[in-house]
Amino acid sequence: DGGRRPRRGGRVRLTVAAAALGVAAAVAVPFGLAGDGGDGAEAETSLGPIAAPSGPGCVAEECEGKAPLPMRCGAPGKRENLATGRGRDGQRIELRFALDCRTVWVRATWLEVGDRVQLTVPGAEPKEVRARDERDAARYLVTPMTAVEDPEGARACLEPADGGERVCIPDPPK
């Protein structure tokens, strides 16, 4: 045989690769490839329908500092807009409240790079979000949520990066 050792590594690598693909497929079917059928209520997999959770992912203090959408607090029908404001350059801020989650937050769109949006609620730490780059400016941003029993007194302010006029909602009482 010319002093060569037989090669077995190729067969072992093939077996390991096949096993890895099998594990990946088993994990991907129920988790990664499940579509939602359009209404988001359930997904169909080879294992049958999977119901999506319907209630909020957190309530009140459990939500403090978290993002509204992953906690199922910001979906249409689950929140209301308390006030809306516009900046001089078209920026838009919306003060939102989710009764099921008992939280408030601010959604901001059309921001310019460097614009800052702040949420203040009496007795709570302020929350803010800033458009750090063009990617942030091209999408909507939200502040972390603040837990409230009643949204009265919640206030959102836009501070434009260019030093333009600060916009706050709701307007202070006159």
Side-chain angles (χ1 to χ4, degrees):
D1 71 354
R4 290 183 167 192
R5 295 187 322 167
R7 293 187 55 186
R8 296 185 337 186
R11 184 172 293 162
V12 171
R13 281 191 294 264
L14 182 60
T15 303
V16 169
L21 283 173
V23 169
V27 170
V29 168
F31 297 108
L33 300 179
D36 74 355
D39 66 0
E42 64 178 38
E44 185 70 36
T45 71
S46 62
L47 303 174
I50 298 174
S54 60
C58 61
V59 177
E61 290 301 322
E62 298 169 344
C63 297
E64 186 67 34
K66 294 181 180 172
L69 281 179
M71 294 292 107
R72 297 182 303 279
C73 297
K78 298 289 184 180
R79 49 101 176 125
E80 64 180 274
N81 285 350
L82 300 175
T84 301
R86 288 207 176 268
R88 178 188 69 210
D89 295 326
Q91 304 97 318
R92 179 181 167 119
I93 57 173
E94 299 168 87
L95 180 59
R96 293 182 162 189
F97 172 65
L99 181 60
D100 288 353
C101 295
R102 295 198 314 265
T103 59
V104 292
W105 68 94
V106 182
R107 178 181 172 177
T109 50
W110 306 106
L111 297 178
E112 301 287 330
V113 174
D115 286 353
R116 182 172 76 109
V117 176
Q118 186 175 50
L119 168 66
T120 55
V121 174
E125 288 292 317
K127 309 291 189 306
E128 73 174 49
V129 66
R130 184 182 303 259
R132 298 178 313 261
D133 54 32
E134 290 297 327
R135 182 172 180 256
D136 283 351
R139 59 190 178 127
Y140 75 84
L141 299 176
V142 296
T143 64
M145 293 186 289
T146 297
V148 296
E149 288 299 320
D150 180 353
E152 187 69 31
R155 189 167 165 85
C157 293
L158 163 69
E159 294 184 19
D162 66 4
E165 183 179 347
R166 184 176 195 220
V167 175
C168 293
I169 55 173
D171 291 329
K174 297 188 186 263

